[in-house]
Amino acid sequence: MTDSINRMAAMTARYYYLLRSSWLRLLELVYWPAMQMLVWGFLYTYLYDSKSSMASTGGMLLGAVLLWDVLFRGQLGFSFTFLEEIWSRNLANLMMSPLQPAELAASLMLMSLIRLLIGTIPVTLLVFVLFGFNIYALGFGLIAFFINLVITGWAIGLVVSGMIIRQGLGAESLAYSIMILVLPLCCVYYPVWVLPLWLQPAAWSLTPTYVFEGMRAILIDGMLRTDLMVECFALNLVYLTVAFTAFMLLLRSARHKGVLLTMGE
Amino acid sequence: MNSIATFFTGNGALFSPSRTAPAPTAQPAVATEAATPAVAVETLCKKYGTHWAVDEVNFIVPKGWTVGLLGGNGAGKTTTIAMIMGLVVPTVGRAMVLGHDMATERHKVLKRMNFESPYVALPARLTVRENLNVFGRLYGVPGIKQKIEELAEEFGLGDIMDRLTGRLSAGQKTRVAVAKALINDPDVLVLDEPTASLDPDRADWVRSRLRAYQQRKGATILMSSHNMLEVEQLCDFVVIMSRGRVVALGTCRELAEQFQCKNLDEVFIKLARGA
């Protein structure tokens, strides 16, 4: 167990060194979410000031964008950290070391969380200062939303990383594009009832749907839907287990295919 | 010559009769640690599509020996090495390291192995010191700071320790990669073209370091190389592959005698041209 923790600490140190090596990388973590929030923040201000019927939806829009970014950046942080190993042709070094796949996955999760906190905390403060929108007013709900979205991001990141191991850099674009695939069904900006009836079960099979419905419940009704959060968490545990199994199977397949040694070329 | 070749090919058969089943091992089920060879390759085959990249390869590397795995481009050396390291799963047969099947039990032995290959690089955005620190910790090296200083001293890395690895010359990168390969004092060291991008002086210097390490530690080294002089200097035994198969094996002198050549370079050329 101690050996395992030491190896994960070594991997965390490796990613910390990488972040530390370039202020541009650190800036990039904040840059994209900040630019996005500026655009949506100004829209929020416009809707609020216009006193139109849309004014009340401004806050929901901003909250949804912030939480979507948690999911998107969580997955991206996981997948990009893994891609660093491919880009630097270091994966075989790691695979030949005593590092276990589960330890690699745990290190990527931790690093994804660190990257996410670096990227989102300054942006939430920026939104509060510039537009007066306080995401922390969601209280305990925010913690539940954050945990659930981060776990979903990890599960998707695990599958994306497995696909990259199996298919090589040809699957790299999945890291950028896969979240768009689930965006329409996650009901980020609209409630689930807007979807056709036959599509609603598909929406409820996705964990982010529970989070965004939960967020609307707080902002509209002032009510924390703990039932949704518990269901979401249980579903997330299933997805994370399935994703890790997929990661291991894809890794095994890559070993059969013989692509690990030349990965990144 | 026959006796040593027989020893290296395990059961005495250079080519086993069938690739459909692993060759029976002559070792008892529970072999003692001392009696277990460092590397045992048994009826090793790897098929990609319809092409057999490695085709019924058998050899044994006793502990403390340095063995050269030679062959032209596409001979199957890298695939064989990848299977010995457990990075590639054999289609048929098995590669054993220190008594453990690398397809299924590699985690039991990885701490006692290390490798260096031109196909693999150390993270470019980390300094040499950071890279050695990360890999030292991954391998659970005790007293890592002192170990890094020792390696820096031994490999003349003192002035580049705090430089980004990606900004080093090819030769410096090779020295760092070899230092990384020795960070855990491995019992089994696998080297793929260890001096490929070094000038003759630096290459000779690295060879001397490897030889010193091998003698000090009693480690086993399996290396591939296109530098026949290097192989003659370092290797106790040589396995030559062509088109996925072992076509010759023996000591450098034995091979020269067998093929009536002056040196290993001539043997290699003769075999490459289909002798």
Side-chain angles (χ1 to χ4, degrees):
Chain A
M1 187 64 180
T2 311
D3 284 351
S4 190
I5 290 169
N6 285 339
R7 288 192 290 269
M8 287 189 279
M11 288 307 292
T12 308
R14 180 256 189 277
Y15 298 128
Y16 164 69
Y17 292 147
L18 184 69
L19 271 184
R20 195 178 65 172
S21 73
S22 165
W23 63 267
L24 274 172
R25 281 171 190 268
L26 272 172
L27 184 66
E28 197 183 5
L29 293 180
V30 185
Y31 174 77
W32 290 109
M35 290 303 110
Q36 180 170 255
M37 286 317 299
L38 282 179
V39 171
W40 289 97
F42 285 124
L43 179 64
Y44 164 73
T45 307
Y46 166 68
L47 292 173
Y48 194 78
D49 290 348
S50 68
K51 313 279 185 205
S52 72
S53 58
M54 293 285 287
S56 62
T57 62
M60 264 190 293
L61 210 58
L62 219 47
V65 172
L66 268 171
L67 291 178
W68 171 254
D69 224 45
V70 168
L71 174 63
F72 186 69
R73 303 281 156 202
Q75 182 276 133
L76 215 56
F78 188 105
S79 303
F80 267 38
T81 308
F82 176 76
L83 273 166
E84 290 284 358
E85 305 300 359
I86 309 289
W87 291 329
S88 61
R89 295 195 299 143
N90 186 43
L91 189 64
N93 272 327
L94 297 180
M95 291 292 159
M96 263 301 290
S97 78
L99 183 74
Q100 300 285 312
E103 294 161 2
L104 174 62
S107 312
L108 293 172
M109 287 174 188
L110 181 60
M111 208 53 214
S112 140
L113 187 62
I114 291 169
R115 287 174 63 118
L116 192 58
L117 292 174
I118 292 172
T120 48
I121 288 177
V123 171
T124 55
L125 297 177
L126 183 77
V127 168
F128 179 66
V129 170
L130 290 181
F131 308 112
F133 181 78
N134 182 13
I135 189 84
Y136 299 102
L138 291 171
F140 175 75
L142 180 65
I143 297 170
F145 299 156
F146 186 84
I147 290 171
N148 275 310
L149 291 172
V150 166
I151 296 174
T152 306
W154 290 346
I156 297 171
L158 270 168
V159 175
V160 169
S161 301
M163 290 295 289
I164 293 168
I165 287 178
R166 178 63 179 78
Q167 300 297 332
L169 283 175
E172 182 183 352
S173 61
L174 278 176
Y176 313 91
S177 60
I178 196 164
M179 297 307 294
I180 305 301
L181 190 69
V182 295
L183 178 59
L185 285 179
C186 284
C187 302
V188 179
Y189 305 114
Y190 40 81
V192 177
W193 61 260
V194 169
L195 298 178
L197 271 178
W198 60 270
L199 209 51
Q200 289 184 18
W204 284 114
S205 72
L206 299 172
T207 46
T209 305
Y210 295 77
V211 169
F212 293 109
E213 282 295 306
M215 178 202 72
R216 279 185 285 272
I218 289 184
L219 291 178
I220 295 170
D221 306 322
M223 184 176 66
L224 175 62
R225 293 278 306 272
T226 47
D227 57 325
L228 285 180
M229 291 305 100
V230 170
E231 283 175 50
C232 182
F233 188 70
L235 201 54
N236 257 327
L237 291 183
V238 173
Y239 280 160
L240 196 60
T241 308
V242 170
F244 183 68
T245 307
F247 177 77
M248 293 300 287
L249 288 174
L250 289 162
L251 177 60
R252 193 169 76 169
S253 173
R255 285 178 67 209
H256 279 276
K257 198 182 168 197
V259 294
L260 287 181
L261 195 60
T262 53
M263 186 70 70
E265 296 198 323
Chain B
M1 180 217 157
N2 284 340
S3 61
I4 196 165
T6 302
F7 181 52
F8 266 82
T9 55
N11 56 11
L14 184 56
F15 305 110
S16 55
S18 166
R19 66 161 73 103
T20 55
T25 173
Q27 297 158 12
V30 183
T32 61
E33 170 75 19
T36 309
V39 178
V41 170
E42 301 169 359
T43 327
L44 200 65
C45 304
K46 185 65 193 178
K47 191 181 187 184
Y48 293 123
T50 57
H51 170 65
W52 290 92
V54 174
D55 195 357
E56 299 179 44
V57 168
N58 293 276
F59 62 85
I60 283 173
V61 181
K63 282 180 182 157
W65 288 53
T66 300
V67 172
L69 192 59
L70 311 185
N73 297 326
K77 306 184 301 290
T78 299
T79 305
T80 301
I81 283 177
M83 286 191 279
I84 290 168
M85 295 190 302
L87 290 176
V88 174
V89 176
T91 307
V92 176
R94 59 182 184 173
M96 310 280 285
V97 175
L98 299 170
H100 297 284
D101 188 336
M102 291 304 283
T104 55
E105 298 179 325
R106 59 197 298 270
H107 61 280
K108 291 182 181 172
V109 76
L110 285 175
K111 210 169 177 177
R112 297 172 64 189
M113 295 177 73
N114 213 318
F115 92 121
E116 190 270 322
S117 165
Y119 290 106
V120 178
L122 291 169
R125 299 289 312 170
L126 268 59
T127 66
V128 173
R129 189 185 303 281
E130 288 168 347
N131 265 318
L132 292 176
N133 182 41
V134 168
F135 280 96
R137 290 167 71 178
L138 280 176
Y139 281 91
V141 175
I144 182 64
K145 278 188 180 172
Q146 191 188 336
K147 182 68 186 176
I148 290 173
E149 293 311 317
E150 285 170 15
L151 285 168
E153 173 78 21
E154 188 172 0
F155 284 87
L157 305 175
D159 54 339
I160 59 169
M161 286 300 279
D162 295 312
R163 283 176 58 187
L164 292 180
T165 309
R167 295 203 180 148
L168 303 178
S169 70
Q172 288 170 327
K173 281 179 188 170
T174 304
R175 279 155 56 202
V176 174
V178 175
K180 170 257 163 193
L182 298 182
I183 198 156
N184 60 327
D185 290 331
D187 293 323
V188 177
L189 183 58
V190 181
L191 304 168
D192 195 5
E193 300 276 347
T195 59
S197 46
L198 298 179
D199 64 58
D201 177 46
R202 276 291 170 187
D204 183 64
W205 186 82
V206 167
R207 280 195 290 274
S208 70
R209 298 271 77 78
L210 288 172
R211 197 183 299 113
Y213 173 75
Q214 197 274 335
Q215 286 168 355
R216 185 174 74 240
K217 172 79 181 171
T220 306
I221 299 178
L222 177 65
M223 59 180 284
S224 78
S225 178
H226 286 135
N227 183 338
M228 298 304 132
L229 181 67
E230 175 170 281
V231 174
E232 284 176 335
Q233 285 182 356
L234 279 179
C235 296
D236 303 304
F237 204 81
V238 173
V239 177
I240 303 181
M241 294 182 70
S242 176
R243 295 177 186 174
R245 289 181 155 244
V246 174
V247 292
L249 46 72
T251 63
C252 296
R253 181 176 290 181
E254 287 166 354
L255 288 170
E257 283 173 9
Q258 184 185 344
F259 290 93
Q260 297 175 326
C261 297
K262 280 185 284 187
N263 52 40
L264 196 58
D265 210 29
E266 285 188 13
V267 173
F268 186 92
I269 291 169
K270 205 168 184 177
L271 283 168
R273 293 178 183 170

